[in-house]
Amino acid sequence: MSEYNKMPLLMDLSRKDKFGVSLSDIDVPLSELPESSLLREDIQLPELSQLDVVRYFTNLSQMNYSIDTQFYPLGSCTMKYNPKINDQLASLKGFSNIHPLIEESLVQGSLELMFNLQSYLSNISGMTATSLSTMAGAQGELAGVLMIKAFHEKQSTSSKRNVILIPDSAHGTNPASASMAGFSVKSIPSDQNGNMDIDVLKENANENLAGIMLTLPSTLGLFDNQIVDICNIVHEAGGLVYGDGANMNAWMGQTKLGDLGFDVIHINLHKTFSTPHGGGGPGSGPVCVNDTLLNYLPGPVVQRNSNVYEFVEMPDTIGHLGAFHGNFGVLVRAYCYIRALGKEGIPEVSKNAVMNANYIMNKLKHAYDIGFDNRSICMHEVVFTARKQKQNGVKGLDIAKRLLDYGYHAPTMYFPLIVDEALMVEPTESESKNTLDKFIDAMLQIADECENNSELLHEAPHNTPVQRLDEALAARQPNLKWSTK
Amino acid sequence: MSQNEIRYSKEHEWVKSTEQGLFLVGVTEFAQEQMGDVVYVEMDDVGTSCNQFTKVGEIESVKAVSDLYTPIGGEIVEVNEELINNPELVNNDPLNGGWMLKIKVSDIQEINNLMTEEEYKNYIQQL
């Protein structure tokens, strides 16, 4: 795109004395202006006509890249396609206008929805009970480890179980949550298959072990087939097993973490169950527990007493982690999503998500190395490494930037940290073969460019409104204020 | 260990002796290349005591935040203030201008837990 097509800023469009509103006649008595020290003339505000403003924001909105316009290889991690009807249902006045302090008897329908959602999530995860009150994934994690802590303290007042084990492939929020709960964190390395190094786990399975935090499948998009052994080793040492539900899109309806030995998991309703959340919210991270942790659930929990629904607190509850009852609008969306898909539809989601990722992996594995190339099957996401391209001086970052030229959002890059030059692609269940084929073609062309025209990649992107940004300079010397040149 | 000889840790930090009992610590060329452009370095305060291989700071790059582990135990007697305004020194000159900590070493024998230059070269070959 040429300089000509670059979008001017509002300040650049501004011309002195232009204006976009006409004020109505004054119908109150005139009064004096406040004293001049309270009035600032040094603040530069743009002066624009109404049409300037309409065009500016309309053009800006058309530059937006979203799941509604193009393929988004970041997947459910950032946002998968969420049926629009669930937004409409959550906006129904009967849901959206409820005051959080309204008497329970007047909102029995909404409480019933929450009660049913609790049991659906318990059922899908293979757990005994669920609390919907936690408002994000990281808060669900914190609730999970706080329950583990409360459990050990109740078992023995002199408990010295203060270590949480976390694999080195984990999301950064896991060690952060464990630290916030007052635990010390020990990292467990991965073996050459991307699985947990079980010998290191055994070495640390002792009287100091409070529990382990695991993501299944791991952030490498791999299913650790030692999972039952891992749970057994931790349990035999007296610890508990926490599951991070970030990658639930890979297993819902196929297996139940409760059956595998997990004691507590959190579910990201905003990732897996139909809430648009790209850009930071709203989220919802319900926690599901087995019998061991049932009494520790954060409040409030909805129970049915004969035919009346009511909020209750569990006997050993860790308390409330936020105001009121969680992000109710997200709960409505999740409820509608589960009801619409049903028992037959939920397993189809994970099946298609896994199939799509494997299709991409198999089509691209000759052009790009796989992070753990001795694994023939991935789950809902595939981690490539630009190891081969690096020999031609091309980095993962360059490939990601070049994808923008082909009209695609870049995939997750440089995560998981244990894969050199990582590029992680999660297509999700909702993309067609046709869409995936076009993306694969673009990736193959880029692989070809890496060998024959690597300069093109170093300078990419070429077709976007702004070219390669200097991220390091922006972080080292941030310039956050508009000024005339 | 002779003057100017460098030893390396598995976590890609280096240590070299300067004056009597004082050692400089930084990260290796391999480490800076892996991290990418460094944008911020935070180090523990002068006067802090640290054990070998424990965390003494954080390095933030455009890719990720990494922990800095000291390859040798002792007391931090100086930190490289230059890095606060010029973190790019870690990328441009990791072995000299990009040094991070000066440590008064408590047990010189700990040096034996570290790799020589040749051993470290072999180590990163295998990664």
Side-chain angles (χ1 to χ4, degrees):
Chain A
M1 214 174 270
S2 69
E3 196 74 12
Y4 178 74
N5 287 328
K6 268 190 189 169
M7 233 191 106
L9 300 175
L10 278 177
M11 290 305 295
D12 301 326
L13 292 169
S14 174
R15 295 292 177 272
K16 194 163 163 33
D17 296 335
K18 262 195 182 183
F19 57 93
V21 287
S22 32
L23 297 174
S24 52
D25 292 340
I26 290 176
D27 57 359
V28 291
L30 273 176
S31 61
E32 290 290 309
L33 282 172
E35 58 172 302
S36 61
S37 65
L38 294 173
L39 296 173
R40 291 181 55 186
E41 291 194 2
D42 59 319
I43 300 175
Q44 291 171 308
L45 294 172
E47 297 175 75
L48 301 154
S49 74
Q50 219 173 72
L51 186 55
D52 288 338
V53 175
V54 168
R55 283 187 180 152
Y56 175 79
F57 284 106
T58 305
N59 285 324
L60 199 60
S61 74
Q62 286 173 344
M63 291 167 76
N64 198 17
Y65 190 103
S66 74
I67 191 79
D68 288 348
T69 57
Q70 284 110 330
F71 174 56
Y72 209 80
L74 294 166
S76 70
C77 180
T78 299
M79 190 146 78
K80 67 177 187 180
Y81 176 70
N82 299 298
K84 302 298 176 219
I85 190 169
N86 297 339
D87 288 340
Q88 290 168 21
L89 293 171
S91 307
L92 291 175
K93 288 196 164 41
F95 292 131
S96 60
N97 285 352
I98 310 175
H99 193 282
L101 293 173
I102 195 168
E103 201 185 310
E104 290 166 15
S105 66
L106 300 174
V107 281
Q108 283 291 299
S110 292
L111 264 67
E112 183 180 351
L113 181 149
M114 293 174 79
F115 179 82
N116 286 340
L117 181 60
Q118 284 173 188
S119 52
Y120 299 156
L121 296 177
S122 300
N123 191 303
I124 293 169
S125 59
M127 294 291 186
T128 307
T130 296
S131 168
L132 304 172
S133 61
T134 31
M135 305 217 198
Q139 199 176 52
E141 290 178 32
L142 181 63
V145 283
L146 285 174
M147 281 189 267
I148 291 174
K149 190 175 177 147
F151 170 83
H152 288 308
E153 281 169 0
K154 174 126 185 177
Q155 297 299 300
S156 150
T157 45
S158 58
S159 172
K160 49 177 183 166
R161 294 187 177 275
N162 65 343
V163 175
I164 292 274
L165 302 175
I166 300 180
D168 61 0
S169 59
H171 292 115
T173 47
N174 287 179
S177 299
S179 297
M180 267 186 86
F183 288 110
S184 81
V185 173
K186 193 156 179 6
S187 174
I188 308 249
S190 303
D191 65 18
Q192 75 273 22
N193 298 316
N195 289 332
M196 181 180 290
D197 188 328
I198 209 115
D199 292 329
V200 180
L201 173 66
K202 284 179 184 159
E203 284 163 25
N204 288 282
N206 53 37
E207 68 284 357
N208 295 323
L209 180 63
I212 189 165
M213 293 179 89
L214 285 174
T215 308
L216 191 73
S218 70
T219 62
L220 299 161
L222 300 173
F223 189 90
D224 192 330
N225 50 16
Q226 317 168 105
I227 186 64
V228 173
D229 292 339
I230 291 171
C231 293
N232 286 338
I233 291 167
V234 173
H235 285 147
E236 276 161 26
L240 296 178
V241 181
Y242 172 90
D244 183 318
N247 291 342
M248 191 170 181
N249 225 39
W251 58 260
M252 62 173 174
Q254 308 294 337
T255 187
K256 298 187 177 195
L257 295 197
D259 296 349
L260 298 177
F262 286 78
D263 299 290
V264 47
I265 70 164
H266 89 264
I267 296 175
N268 292 313
L269 293 185
H270 50 277
K271 285 188 177 184
T272 318
F273 293 93
S274 168
T275 285
H277 70 286
S284 177
V287 276
C288 314
V289 294
N290 63 8
D291 290 340
T292 312
L293 292 175
L294 176 62
N295 289 341
Y296 299 88
L297 276 177
V301 176
V302 183
Q303 272 187 0
R304 183 167 58 188
N305 201 343
S306 48
N307 273 329
V308 177
Y309 297 95
E310 57 189 11
F311 286 118
V312 296
E313 302 296 336
M314 304 307 282
D316 299 314
T317 180
I318 56 165
H320 287 206
L321 278 91
F324 307 119
H325 325 106
N327 270 331
F328 182 65
V330 183
L331 305 181
V332 176
R333 288 175 177 86
Y335 175 87
C336 297
Y337 184 75
I338 293 172
R339 288 301 300 259
L341 286 167
K343 253 191 187 139
E344 295 74 32
I346 295 276
E348 284 296 305
V349 169
S350 43
K351 206 157 90 181
N352 284 313
V354 171
M355 185 173 67
N356 284 351
N358 278 280
Y359 182 67
I360 290 181
M361 179 174 87
N362 281 289
K363 286 281 186 178
L364 289 180
K365 70 181 176 189
H366 302 295
Y368 298 90
D369 285 345
I370 312 282
F372 285 86
D373 52 7
N374 42 5
R375 299 289 288 261
S376 56
I377 294 176
C378 67
M379 296 301 289
H380 67 309
E381 58 197 3
V382 50
V383 181
F384 295 104
T385 160
R387 202 186 292 144
K388 200 151 71 180
Q389 286 71 23
K390 209 174 169 183
Q391 289 160 10
N392 290 323
V394 177
K395 294 185 166 185
L397 176 76
D398 301 322
I399 294 167
K401 295 287 185 195
R402 183 65 180 145
L403 260 177
L404 306 184
D405 284 336
Y406 283 85
Y408 292 101
H409 194 286
T412 304
M413 50 176 197
Y414 299 131
F415 185 84
L417 301 173
I418 57 173
V419 174
D420 188 30
E421 299 293 331
L423 289 168
M424 177 158 75
V425 176
E426 183 189 348
T428 78
E429 67 279 7
S430 24
E431 299 299 343
S432 67
K433 179 173 176 294
N434 187 29
T435 305
L436 299 182
D437 282 336
K438 283 183 182 160
F439 173 74
I440 288 162
D441 280 347
M443 286 292 285
L444 291 174
Q445 282 190 50
I446 293 172
D448 190 58
E449 290 168 2
C450 290
E451 284 185 30
N452 302 316
N453 195 0
S454 58
E455 272 315 299
L456 194 64
L457 278 99
H458 292 145
E459 287 155 25
H462 304 271
N463 303 335
T464 47
V466 285
Q467 269 74 55
R468 180 83 63 109
L469 301 172
D470 189 340
E471 292 167 51
L473 183 72
R476 284 168 186 162
Q477 292 163 37
N479 176 7
L480 306 173
K481 203 176 148 198
W482 180 86
S483 60
T484 44
K485 305 269 154 42
Chain B
M1 184 175 165
S2 59
Q3 191 82 14
N4 295 329
E5 194 191 339
I6 303 188
R7 295 288 177 99
Y8 299 87
S9 73
K10 285 187 173 172
E11 299 285 350
H12 309 287
E13 287 93 10
W14 55 259
V15 57
K16 63 182 170 191
S17 74
T18 53
E19 38 210 286
Q20 201 59 38
L22 296 182
F23 287 71
L24 289 182
V25 166
V27 298
T28 65
E29 173 65 28
F30 179 85
Q32 75 79 17
E33 208 257 304
Q34 288 288 313
M35 288 189 290
D37 290 331
V38 173
V39 296
Y40 186 68
V41 182
E42 186 178 283
M43 293 158 287
D44 284 358
D45 295 333
V46 169
T48 312
S49 293
C50 49
N51 293 325
Q52 189 177 33
F53 306 134
T54 58
K55 189 184 155 187
V56 287
E58 283 181 357
I59 306 164
E60 184 178 338
S61 74
V62 289
K63 281 190 202 171
V65 178
S66 318
D67 289 333
L68 171 69
Y69 300 97
T70 180
I72 196 154
E75 183 195 333
I76 300 173
V77 294
E78 195 180 336
V79 299
N80 187 355
E81 306 271 353
E82 272 288 294
L83 299 183
I84 295 166
N85 291 322
N86 298 310
E88 58 269 31
L89 283 169
V90 178
N91 296 112
N92 300 340
D93 193 13
L95 290 176
N96 296 298
W99 69 274
M100 293 182 177
L101 304 165
K102 191 182 271 186
I103 291 184
K104 189 176 171 190
V105 170
S106 41
D107 178 8
I108 189 67
Q109 294 304 318
E110 287 180 354
I111 286 287
N112 298 324
N113 302 330
L114 300 170
M115 287 174 272
T116 62
E117 181 139 15
E118 201 182 328
E119 286 167 339
Y120 180 69
K121 272 183 186 160
N122 289 333
Y123 172 70
I124 55 176
Q125 288 272 308
Q126 288 156 15
L127 293 180

